[in-house]
Structure formats: structure tokens, C-alpha cells
């Protein structure tokens, strides 16, 4: 063995190289504060390794980018973890960069003779930020698409040549194949290549001037190997542990619905480490193009200038103090702006609703992808598949009036802005009990913001039912709720509930009570209130959505006075000779809308593919994709 | 890292130095182990995805019979005719319904009989596409890549680089509409270059 190493050393001189690399002297011994540079090198190494493997499965084009990332995330073994590590290590890298920069400035390590290395470091930082920006687009999902659209539009603010710069960045007038190929070439080729080259320079120059030791030196010197290496390795392990924990917790990196520039998307935000810039730009609102230019280009440019000048300003003591103060204000300010941005979003119900809708679309996109993606790409499915049309109709049309939120405020919250009942839990006991609650029946979750606020049902619940001898005890309300939920298909499970069911049905059939106005199976008649037979069932919902003005539903409200427009809901189906608005959706789409309301859109009943637009995807014969792996991105 | 020995302080005989030495060794061991872990985690994750194709069944062909032609489309005189095999196709995420997934030669073993032969058009030598060639007085199958040649019954014409004759496929006649007989083929692909015919999974 030693003969071989002697031979190798004679030919290559590797021992001297290794010695040079490992036995760098560390004045005052190894310290934890010196680990940041090494953690960055480690983070970059991880990005290189995971990036190359992602590259092997990624396909940069408008109709394959999302699809290939979907495949990595849900079908390839370990693919979700690979994405997770790459995604979270990128974020860790930005944090570590901030720490490294702060430590270098704080310790004055940027001063002579290390000016050049500081400048190289700043360029490296810009490259890493460029990698973040370009990488964010590559999955080609709604989130990355819209965030990058904003960033590239800002590049159009460049003086004189703005539009040209933007066209070059995007690879044409609009986003498409070449946006992806260009971003991918930058992300996987040019930027990492530059980074490696400059990293070599950075390390070589670092070695030339040696470590900038913390003063005063009180302990004996040590060498880089093994004392500092161990500290570095422990710090890197901590970074890796955090990244792995995040990857497992989030089951990889998120993947939203495929990019679609024509689709409403109100949840656009940059990645969190660019949020401060996003928030900073808001300060320039109201100053038009000039304001935007100053905020997006001039100020960040000046900040970079101050950073680049630090080695010169740091020559005098006051200059160094200024630099330290500047870096603290800069990072503190960025932190504050990030906090402000998050705080604003937390208080912004429209944003929360948009994120919720984005998640609904994401879940549907992943659900549909399991059936196979057509060659046109998955965006085609998300525009044309009847399930997607159903979801889009619900989120863009139904939610204009109806809210869909639980008592904790999760879901699509309209609150007092609603113009129609809250659809969350429609068909359940809780929904019925809320309707029969005198405090809620005329509230925003039920008839409060509709013309029916003055209707018979509201006065019945608030007055007749509250009379001492009405007989509507809480037990009776429970019985009605159980019986109605059973109509919707929520069959009672316990024996006690089954007893309630019979009693509830008796009340619903009682022509002195509910059946006075409502039809319920053989009791009562249509024409004065919605039919409660099969209330909330798929069939009932399809009828109601198709034509709420049918006699079985709210025809009585509509026909009593057409000009008052009391019944605002359009008919979503085709209604022959209708003198009210109709949307003419197909029965299939309306069926899926009913499924969504019943929480069953993403379930896979046997009948599902019957009549679906896609040919029955039966890849069982072929094995591949037949049983999609459990989808880790589904977990919220 | 055997080179690290050279910098040790083992020259000193005192106990303190020995303790230092032991501590130094532990430091080196831990640093090396941790360093290995750091690189292993991303590497193994990446290798898992890289090797994932080995753990899935491929899509060499459908295991079911596929309708390829009508019997009356096959020449009566025994001349082979090429037909496309149409089936649903998966390529990773892409699902393409009813696409050509390959092609076969169909021929009557003897003129005017219903006794059919079916060959995969892929050459068993190196996987090029075999064509029907008219060799003056007689027809034969010829591969354009390395000149493998086959008789109409699929057997090799020597000398040939092909290790075996054309790959036969199971074929079935099924009654179709209007009294037309349908030809159904169990389409499979096989590994090339081997004397033995081994179906791709």
C-alpha cells in the first residue's frame, strides 16, 4: 500500500497538497465562530449532488416541467426527499450567507489585506441569490410562475433597455419553453459554474491571508485538521438535520398546480427570503414608475455599493463602526420587513382565501395526474377536465357569494361579505343545527345576507320555534338534524342515533311542522319551500345547482316576483326556455361540483371514470404508474 | 487519512501527550465519520431516485392480446405484411391513449390458409427495425443495420450477426363484426443480442 502511495505521491505530489489543505494554522485554535464558511461550502456541495440527480429527471419545457417534477415528487423512490433536501438546503444557504456576511463584517475580516476576498464573497452571494431566483421557477407551478413573473417584470424597469432585458430574460415576449430552458441553463450551468470558479478563488485567497483570528489570542494555535474540521462537521450536521427535519415534515417541497398565466391566482408571493424586497417595494407605492424603479433597482443597487465599499470605508475606525451598524440595520431591516410582510398576509383574508384555493387546485392537480397526463401537459387537464372545470366554477363563481369555512375560520372565508349561505358542511347535522339556531339563521352563514332574511324560514326559526309550546326542544332539533343528515347520506351509526332518526323523520313529515311548507317524501308538497327529500344528497345538489329556480327548490321565491331578483343564484345547468341566467355547464361538471361540496371529488369510486373525458386509464397491464405511490404532497 | 500520523505528537513520552494523542485520534475519527455522513445523505438520496427504474416494471409490452389486423388484410400468397400495434402508452407521467407502440409482421404460413405467423419487427441482433426485402426471385427479412437476414419463416440466413431468428409472437384469431376474423397478437419485446429469447419485463 505504502509503495503505491509513494508512487502516486511521486507522480502527483498529492501529500503536499493534502497537507496544505488540512494543516492550515488556526491562530488561537479552532472556534465555533469560524464554521460559517464551511457550512456554506457544505450546503453548496449538497446542492450540487442533489441538483445533478434532479437534473436526471427534470424536463425543462412548458408542458413537461411541472409534469417531470410531479413524477420526481410522487413516483420516484426518494424523489420527494431529494426535492425536499434541495429546496430546504437552498433556504438554509441564504440564512448561512447572512450569518457569514454578518460575522465577517462584525469581526472586521473584510479589511486589508482581505478586500478582494470580501468582494469575491459579495459576488458569490449574488450568485447564490440568482440560483434561488432561477430555481424557484423550474417546477413551473403556479407559485413559482407568478413569483418569477413579478421578478422578471421588475427587470423590465432597467433604464433605457428594460423591455429588451426582460425579453432576453424570458426568452421571448411571453413565458414558455425558452423561459424554462434559459432559467435552467442559468440555474444548472452558468451560475453553478461561476460559483465553483469564484469559490476556488475565494478559498485560495482565504488561505493566502490566513484566517482572520479573533483577538486577543489566548489559546495555543491548532491546525484546521482535525480540530476545526470537527467543529465544522458538527455545524454542518446541524444544518443537515434541520434540512432533513423540514423535508420530512413537509414531505418534500411543495408543488402547486401547473403554471397557468390565464388562470386567476391571487396567492403570488416570492420565497420568504425575498419577502423583504417585496415588502420594501410597497413603500414606494403611489410614486408610479419612478417609485418602482427607485425601490426595485436604485436602493438595492446603493446597498450593494455600500457593501462593496466596506473594505475602503473600514480603513478608519469610524468607518468600521459604520459598516457594522450598516450590516446590522440591513439585516434587521430585512428581518423587520419580512415580519411586516408576514403580518400583513396573516391579517389579509383575501390572501388566505387565495392560498386556500391554490391548495385546492394543487390537490386536484395531483389527483388528476394519477390518471396520467396528456401529451399537451397537465395545464390542459387543469383547464379542461370536468373535475377541474367544476372546481374552477366553485372557486371563481360560487365563492363570489357563498363562503366555505368552518367555525375556526379555515377554508374560504367570506364572513359578513357573503351574499349567500356558507356551504361548509352542507348536508351535515352541524349545518342543520346552525340553520335552526335563532341566533344564526339570519346571520352571514345562513340567510343573513340574502333576500330570504325576511323570509318565512327565518321568522319560523326566530319566532314560531321559540314559542314555549312549540315543542322544538334541543332534543327535537337534534332529531331533525340526524334525519336530514341521513337524507344527505350521513347515515347514523350508533343505536341512539338510529332512534333519533325515526323521530326526526316523523317531525319532518309532520304537516303541522316542517311539512307545512316543505315536501318530505310522501308528506307536504313542493312550491312553498325546498324539497327536503334527499336533501344534501348528490342527486339533490345536482338538481339545486342545475336549476335552483325549479319548483322543487327555490322556484317559489323566483316566481313570486321575477323583477325583484330575490333568488340570485344562476342556474348552472341548461334550462330550456329559461328567463333567468344560466351557465349551461354539462351534467358531468355539475355532478363533480356536487361531489366537491360533499367532500368526495378526490375520492375514487368505481363509477368515476364512466363518462369522464379521459379514456379509462388502465395501465395495470403495463405496470408502470398503475398504483401511484402514496402521495406525500397531499398532506397539508 | 493515514497522512495525519505525520503531524501527531507521539514523540513525547509523557502521559499528558498520550492523552492528547487519544483525544486527537477521537477528534479525527469523529470528524471523518461526520464528514462521511454529511456526504452520504444527499448522495444516497440521489442514488435512490437514480436506481428507481430498476425497482419498477418496465413497459416492454402489453401482457394482453391486442387486436392488430383483420385476417382478410393479410395477403393470401404468404407475403408478410407489416402492421402497427396500437395500445395505450405510458411514458413516465405521460399517458397517450391508443398510440402505436410497435409493429409486427403477419403472414400466412402456407398460402390461403388461416395458419398465421407473427414476428416482432425488432431485429434480435441489436434492435434495429427489420424490413421486408425483395431479393430478386424471393422475399426475405433484412435488417438495415448489420445485414442480418431472415427467411420468411423467421429463421436466420447464414452468415448473420443475429444470434437467433426473428422473435415470434403469440397470435389468435377471434370472430369480429360482419363475419370478419380479427387477428389478435400478444405483443412483447425481447432483449436483443442473446441466443435465448427473453421477454422484457
Amino acid at each position: 500500500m505504502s509503495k503505491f502511495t509513494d508512487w502516486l505521491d511521486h507522480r502527483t505530489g498529492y501529500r503536499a497538497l493534502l497537507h496544505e489543505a488540512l494543516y492550515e494554522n488556526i491562530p488561537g485554535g479552532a472556534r465555533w465562530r469560524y464554521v460559517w464558511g464551511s457550512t456554506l461550502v457544505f450546503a453548496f456541495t449538497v446542492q450540487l449532488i442533489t441538483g445533478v440527480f434532479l437534473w436526471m429527471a427534470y424536463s425543462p419545457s412548458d408542458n413537461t416541467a411541472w409534469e417531470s417534477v410531479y413524477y420526481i415528487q410522487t413516483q420516484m423512490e426518494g424523489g420527494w426527499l431529494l426535492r425536499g433536501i434541495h429546496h430546504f438546503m437552498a433556504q438554509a444557504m441564504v440564512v448561512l450567507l447572512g450569518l457569514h456576511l454578518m460575522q465577517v463584517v462584525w469581526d472586521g475580516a473584510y479589511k486589508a489585506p482581505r478586500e478582494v476576498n470580501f468582494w469575491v464573497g459579495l459576488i458569490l452571494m449574488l450568485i447564490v441569490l440568482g440560483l434561488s431566483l432561477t430555481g424557484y421557477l423550474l417546477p413551473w407551478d403556479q407559485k413559482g410562475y407568478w413569483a418569477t413573473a413579478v421578478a422578471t417584470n421588475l427587470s423590465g424597469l432597467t433604464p433605457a433597455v428594460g423591455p429588451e432585458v426582460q425579453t432576453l430574460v424570458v426568452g421571448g415576449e411571453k413565458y414558455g419553453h425558452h423561459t424554462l430552458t434559459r432559467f435552467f441553463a442559468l440555474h444548472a450551468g452558468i451560475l453553478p459554474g461561476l460559483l465553483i470558479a469564484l469559490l476556488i478563488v475565494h478559498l485560495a485567497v482565504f488561505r493566502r491571508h490566513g484566517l482572520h483570528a479573533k483577538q486577543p489570542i489566548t489559546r495555543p494555535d491548532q491546525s484546521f485538521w482535525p480540530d476545526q474540521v470537527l467543529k465544522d462537521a458538527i455545524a454542518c450536521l446541524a444544518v443537515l438535520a434541520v434540512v432533513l427535519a423540514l423535508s420530512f415534515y413537509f414531505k418534500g417541497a411543495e408543488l402547486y398546480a401547473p403554471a397557468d398565466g390565464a388562470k386567476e391566482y391571487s396567492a403570488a408571493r416570492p420565497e420568504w427570503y425575498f419577502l423583504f424586497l417585496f415588502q420594501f417595494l410597497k413603500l414606494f407605492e403611489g410614486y408610479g414608475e419612478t417609485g418602482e424603479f427607485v425601490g426595485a433597482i436604485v436602493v438595492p443597487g446603493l446597498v450593494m455599493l455600500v457593501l462593496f465599499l466596506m473594505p475602503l470605508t473600514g480603513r478608519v475606525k469610524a468607518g468600521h463602526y459604520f459598516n457594522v451598524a450598516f450590516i446590522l440595520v440591513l439585516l434587521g431591516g430585512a428581518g423587520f420587513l419580512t415580519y411586516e410582510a408576514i403580518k400583513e398576509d396573516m391579517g389579509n383574508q383575501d390572501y388566505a382565501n387565495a392560498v386556500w384555493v391554490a391548495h385546492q387546485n394543487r390537490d386536484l392537480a395531483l389527483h388528476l395526474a394519477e390518471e396520467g397526463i396528456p401529451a399537451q401537459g397537465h395545464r390542459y387537464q387543469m383547464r379542461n377536465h370536468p373535475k377541474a372545470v367544476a372546481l374552477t366554477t366553485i372557486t371563481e363563481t360560487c365563492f363570489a357569494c357563498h363562503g366555505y369555512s368552518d367555525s375556526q375560520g379555515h377554508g374560504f372565508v367570506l364572513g359578513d361579505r357573503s351574499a349567500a349561505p356558507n356551504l361548509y358542511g352542507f348536508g351535515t347535522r352541524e349545518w342543520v343545527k346552525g340553520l335552526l339556531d335563532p341566533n344564526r339563521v339570519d346571520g352571514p352563514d345562513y340567510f343573513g345576507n340574502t333576500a330570504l332574511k325576511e323570509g318565512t324560514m327565518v321568522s319560523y326559526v326566530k319566532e314560531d320555534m321559540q314559542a314555549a309550546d312549540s315543542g322544538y326542544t334541543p332534543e327535537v332539533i337534534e332529531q331533525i338534524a340526524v334525519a336530514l343528515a341521513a337524507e344527505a347520506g350521513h347515515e347514523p351509526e350508533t343505536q341512539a342515533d338510529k332512534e333519533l332518526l325515526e323521530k326526526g323523520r316523523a317531525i319532518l313529515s309532520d304537516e303541522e311542522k316542517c311539512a307545512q311548507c316543505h315536501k318530505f317524501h310522501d308528506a307536504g308538497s313542493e312550491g312553498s319551500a325546498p324539497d327536503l327529500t334527499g336533501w344534501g344528497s348528490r342527486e339533490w345538489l345536482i338538481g339545486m345547482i342545475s336549476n335552483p329556480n325549479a319548483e322543487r327548490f327555490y322556484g317559489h321565491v323566483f316566481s313570486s316576483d321575477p323583477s325583484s331578483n330575490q333568488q340570485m343564484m344562476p342556474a348552472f345547468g341548461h334550462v330550456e326556455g329559461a328567463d333567468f341566467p344560466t351557465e349551461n355547464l354539462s351534467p358531468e361538471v355539475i355532478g363533480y361540483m356536487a361531489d366537491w361540496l360533499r367532500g368526495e371529488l378526490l375520492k375514487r369510486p368505481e363509477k368515476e371514470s364512466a363518462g369522464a373525458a379521459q379514456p379509462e386509464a388502465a395501465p395495470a397491464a403495463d405496470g408502470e404508474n398503475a398504483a401511484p405511490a402514496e402521495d406525500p404532497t397531499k398532506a397539508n | 487519512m493515514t497522512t495525519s500520523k505525520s503531524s501527531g505528537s507521539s514523540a513525547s513520552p509523557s502521559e499528558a501527550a498520550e492523552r492528547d494523542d487519544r483525544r486527537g485520534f477521537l477528534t479525527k475519527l469523529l470528524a471523518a465519520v461526520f464528514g462521511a455522513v454529511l456526504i452520504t445523505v444527499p448522495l444516497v438520496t440521489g442514488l435512490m431516485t437514480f436506481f428507481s427504474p430498476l425497482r419498477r416494471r418496465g413497459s416492454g409490452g402489453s401482457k394482453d392480446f391486442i387486436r392488430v389486423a383483420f385476417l382478410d388484410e393479410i395477403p393470401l400468397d404468404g407475403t408478410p405484411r407489416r402492421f402497427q400495434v396500437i395500445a395505450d402508452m405510458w411514458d413516465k407521467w405521460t399517458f397517450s391513449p391508443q398510440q402505436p407502440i410497435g409493429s409486427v409482421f403477419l403472414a400466412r404460413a402456407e398460402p390461403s390458409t388461416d395458419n398465421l405467423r407473427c414476428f416482432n419487427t425488432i431485429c434480435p441482433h441489436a434492435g434495429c427495425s427489420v424490413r421486408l426485402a425483395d431479393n430478386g426471385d424471393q422475399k426475405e427479412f433484412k435488417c438495415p443495420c448489420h445485414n442480418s437476414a431472415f427467411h420468411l419463416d423467421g429463421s436466420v440466413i447464414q452468415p448473420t450477426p443475429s444470434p437467433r431468428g426473428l422473435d415470434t409472437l403469440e397470435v389468435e384469431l377471434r370472430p369480429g363484426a360482419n363475419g370478419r376474423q380479427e387477428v389478435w397478437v400478444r405483443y412483447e419485446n425481447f432483449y436483443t443480442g442473446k441466443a435465448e429469447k427473453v421477454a422484457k419485463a
Side-chain angles (χ1 to χ4, degrees):
Chain A
M1 189 67 191
S2 75
K3 249 186 154 175
F4 172 72
T5 52
D6 287 347
W7 174 85
L8 193 67
D9 185 48
H10 178 256
R11 303 301 195 273
T12 63
Y14 81 93
R15 278 182 192 146
L17 266 175
L18 208 58
H19 196 269
E20 166 89 17
L22 291 176
Y23 296 98
E24 163 82 3
N25 183 52
I26 300 184
R31 280 174 181 274
W32 287 109
R33 65 190 304 131
Y34 304 149
V35 301
W36 302 119
S38 294
T39 58
L40 275 166
V41 172
F42 165 67
F44 177 63
T45 309
V46 170
Q47 295 306 77
L48 268 189
I49 294 171
T50 52
V52 166
F53 282 109
L54 285 167
W55 186 352
M56 290 187 208
Y58 177 68
S59 173
S61 85
D62 181 46
N63 49 8
T64 60
W66 185 91
E67 292 73 7
S68 58
V69 175
Y70 158 78
Y71 193 80
I72 296 170
Q73 174 79 27
T74 66
Q75 305 291 322
M76 295 181 80
E77 267 164 44
W80 64 271
L81 182 60
L82 188 66
R83 278 193 78 218
I85 293 175
H86 199 73
H87 178 74
F88 289 110
M89 192 58 89
Q91 304 184 21
M93 217 165 158
V94 174
V95 174
L96 294 171
L97 261 177
L99 291 169
H100 188 47
L101 176 66
M102 191 163 75
Q103 187 244 334
V104 163
V105 174
W106 183 275
D107 284 354
Y110 62 94
K111 290 192 254 186
R114 298 182 176 84
E115 304 99 317
V116 171
N117 221 15
F118 182 73
W119 291 328
V120 171
L122 287 178
I123 297 170
L124 282 169
M125 178 179 84
L126 291 178
I127 293 173
V128 171
L129 293 179
L131 282 165
S132 301
L133 194 74
T134 48
Y136 203 54
L137 176 76
L138 297 181
W140 206 228
D141 62 354
Q142 286 286 59
K143 193 179 180 176
Y145 176 90
W146 290 100
T148 312
V150 174
T152 53
N153 284 332
L154 288 177
S155 74
L157 296 173
T158 315
V161 289
E164 286 78 11
V165 169
Q166 194 178 346
T167 305
L168 287 177
V169 169
V170 171
E173 297 301 320
K174 52 187 172 45
Y175 302 92
H177 296 315
H178 273 195
T179 317
L180 283 161
T181 50
R182 282 179 180 232
F183 270 62
F184 189 48
L186 279 171
H187 184 78
I190 296 167
L191 293 176
L194 279 174
L195 198 149
I196 291 170
L198 285 173
L199 188 59
I200 291 170
V201 173
H202 199 58
L203 292 175
V205 177
F206 164 72
R207 283 299 173 92
R208 176 176 168 80
H209 298 295
L211 188 124
H212 182 269
K214 175 77 181 149
Q215 303 293 340
I217 291 171
T218 54
R219 293 180 299 159
D221 292 1
Q222 284 176 313
S223 68
F224 179 62
W225 170 263
D227 301 280
Q228 187 63 44
V229 172
L230 181 62
K231 283 194 164 57
D232 289 355
I234 291 170
C236 294
L237 270 182
V239 171
L240 185 64
V242 170
V243 165
L244 283 178
L246 288 167
S247 302
F248 275 94
Y249 181 78
F250 289 103
K251 300 279 191 292
E254 247 192 322
L255 182 64
Y256 281 71
D260 187 346
K263 194 157 185 164
E264 186 178 305
Y265 186 78
S266 313
R269 289 289 181 277
E271 190 61 300
W272 65 265
Y273 43 80
F274 286 127
L275 265 182
F276 76 97
L277 279 175
F278 164 85
Q279 187 70 12
F280 184 67
L281 272 183
K282 289 189 190 166
L283 301 177
F284 296 87
E285 273 166 12
Y287 298 96
E289 197 188 319
T290 321
E292 197 87 332
F293 175 68
V294 170
I297 293 177
V298 175
V299 176
L302 286 175
V303 167
M304 283 314 298
L305 185 69
V306 173
L307 289 176
F308 270 92
L309 290 177
M310 276 186 178
L312 306 179
T313 47
R315 282 166 182 266
V316 287
K317 207 161 196 163
H320 175 63
Y321 289 140
F322 168 80
N323 288 338
V324 171
F326 183 80
I327 204 82
L328 289 179
V329 168
L330 187 66
L331 293 177
F336 175 73
L337 286 170
T338 308
Y339 164 79
E340 282 286 297
I342 293 170
K343 197 178 79 177
E344 257 182 48
D345 279 347
M346 299 249 285
N348 183 345
Q349 190 59 54
D350 287 334
Y351 174 71
N353 287 348
V355 170
W356 186 83
V357 168
H359 286 165
Q360 294 294 315
N361 277 297
R362 171 199 65 191
D363 293 347
L364 180 66
L366 295 172
H367 167 83
L368 290 178
E370 289 171 12
E371 296 171 18
I373 297 169
Q376 297 99 315
H378 205 45
R379 178 174 52 221
Y380 179 85
Q381 288 289 72
M382 290 302 287
R383 285 176 179 175
N384 298 295
H385 193 287
K387 285 186 180 180
V389 176
L391 180 61
T392 306
T393 308
I394 287 168
T395 57
E396 291 184 6
T397 310
C398 301
F399 288 175
C401 299
H402 292 280
Y404 185 90
S405 56
D406 66 14
S407 53
Q408 264 82 53
H410 300 127
F412 196 94
V413 184
L414 282 182
D416 282 335
R417 293 183 294 166
S418 68
N422 185 346
L423 295 173
Y424 181 84
F426 187 78
T428 63
R429 290 186 203 186
E430 285 65 34
W431 198 92
V432 176
K433 283 195 268 184
L435 177 73
L436 299 179
D437 181 341
N439 298 318
R440 297 188 62 199
V441 65
D442 59 349
D445 282 339
Y446 293 94
F447 293 125
N449 294 331
T450 74
L452 296 177
K453 186 179 185 180
E454 313 295 337
T456 323
M457 185 68 189
V458 171
S459 63
Y460 189 75
V461 171
K462 286 186 84 79
E463 291 156 26
D464 303 31
M465 283 175 67
Q466 305 314 312
D469 58 348
S470 73
Y472 285 111
T473 59
E475 293 77 43
V476 171
I477 304 274
E478 189 73 36
Q479 290 160 5
I480 296 173
V482 169
L484 276 177
E487 293 295 307
H490 303 290
E491 298 292 339
E493 281 162 13
T494 64
Q495 191 55 40
D497 280 355
K498 282 178 187 152
E499 283 162 23
L500 295 179
L501 175 66
E502 289 312 317
K503 290 179 179 158
R505 282 186 173 150
I507 299 158
L508 286 164
S509 309
D510 187 341
E511 306 210 348
E512 301 281 299
K513 292 195 164 116
C514 302
Q516 196 181 333
C517 299
H518 293 280
K519 184 176 185 316
F520 184 70
H521 294 281
D522 297 333
S525 58
E526 289 177 355
S528 51
D531 184 1
L532 297 180
T533 314
W535 175 84
S537 65
R538 185 172 198 267
E539 187 275 332
W540 191 96
L541 284 168
I542 289 173
M544 173 69 192
I545 298 166
S546 300
N547 182 13
N549 294 325
E551 200 188 4
R552 186 182 164 196
F553 302 103
Y554 286 91
H556 56 288
V557 189
F558 176 74
S559 60
S560 61
D561 180 10
S563 63
S564 77
N565 209 9
Q566 282 201 55
Q567 200 297 101
M568 296 288 287
M569 181 169 154
F572 284 85
H574 176 72
V575 183
E576 208 60 56
D579 52 354
F580 44 80
T582 60
E583 301 273 328
N584 288 313
L585 292 178
S586 73
E588 193 188 2
V589 168
I590 293 175
Y592 286 138
M593 289 169 74
D595 286 341
W596 188 89
L597 285 169
R598 292 169 53 77
E600 291 171 351
L601 185 69
L602 303 188
K603 288 189 184 155
R604 294 195 176 280
E606 304 83 81
K607 63 179 172 65
E608 184 205 281
S609 53
Q614 242 210 337
E616 216 161 322
D622 143 332
E624 184 144 67
N625 295 41
E630 195 170 310
D631 183 358
T633 59
K634 281 284 170 57
N636 279 322
Chain B
M1 301 251 165
T2 49
T3 48
S4 52
K5 271 191 179 157
S6 59
S7 77
S9 48
S10 54
S12 161
S14 76
E15 272 180 32
E18 217 169 89
R19 222 177 18 249
D20 267 5
D21 225 28
R22 227 177 292 133
R23 205 190 132 271
F25 175 74
L26 195 66
T27 309
K28 283 171 191 170
L29 185 72
L30 281 176
V33 169
F34 289 172
V37 169
L38 291 173
I39 294 308
T40 304
V41 169
L43 198 61
V44 166
T45 309
L47 288 171
M48 265 170 78
T49 62
F50 179 75
F51 284 109
S52 68
L54 289 183
R55 302 190 54 172
R56 291 176 165 274
R57 280 197 295 144
S59 47
S62 170
K63 298 290 167 279
D64 297 327
F65 279 86
I66 297 169
R67 193 184 70 185
V68 169
F70 289 104
L71 181 61
D72 56 31
E73 293 175 297
I74 303 169
L76 284 169
D77 64 357
T79 308
R81 185 172 165 191
R82 187 185 180 116
F83 293 94
Q84 280 191 331
V85 180
I86 309 286
D88 290 347
M89 191 171 81
W90 282 89
D91 180 7
K92 295 293 171 274
W93 56 86
T94 306
F95 176 70
S96 312
Q98 298 298 296
Q99 291 289 303
I101 60 167
S103 58
V104 295
F105 287 115
L106 278 169
R108 296 172 197 266
E110 296 97 31
S112 305
T113 66
D114 292 352
N115 186 11
L116 297 182
R117 283 184 186 134
C118 182
F119 302 114
N120 196 321
T121 59
I122 293 174
C123 180
H125 170 228
C128 291
S129 177
V130 172
R131 64 193 167 81
L132 188 64
D134 212 333
N135 198 8
D137 49 343
Q138 64 173 49
K139 291 189 168 67
E140 62 184 34
F141 295 112
K142 229 175 153 116
C143 180
C145 294
H146 309 95
N147 295 326
S148 293
F150 307 88
H151 294 297
L152 288 191
D153 68 357
S155 58
V156 290
I157 300 173
Q158 295 291 359
T160 177
S162 181
R164 60 175 192 258
L166 283 177
D167 293 320
T168 55
L169 297 170
E170 285 180 61
V171 57
E172 247 181 41
L173 286 177
R174 296 183 188 179
N178 303 325
R180 284 179 96 188
Q181 289 271 82
E182 294 174 350
V183 182
W184 290 65
V185 170
R186 191 159 169 266
Y187 183 76
E188 282 184 292
N189 286 309
F190 304 89
Y191 287 101
T192 59
K194 298 175 174 178
E196 205 182 333
K197 181 178 149 192
V198 179
K200 287 184 180 168

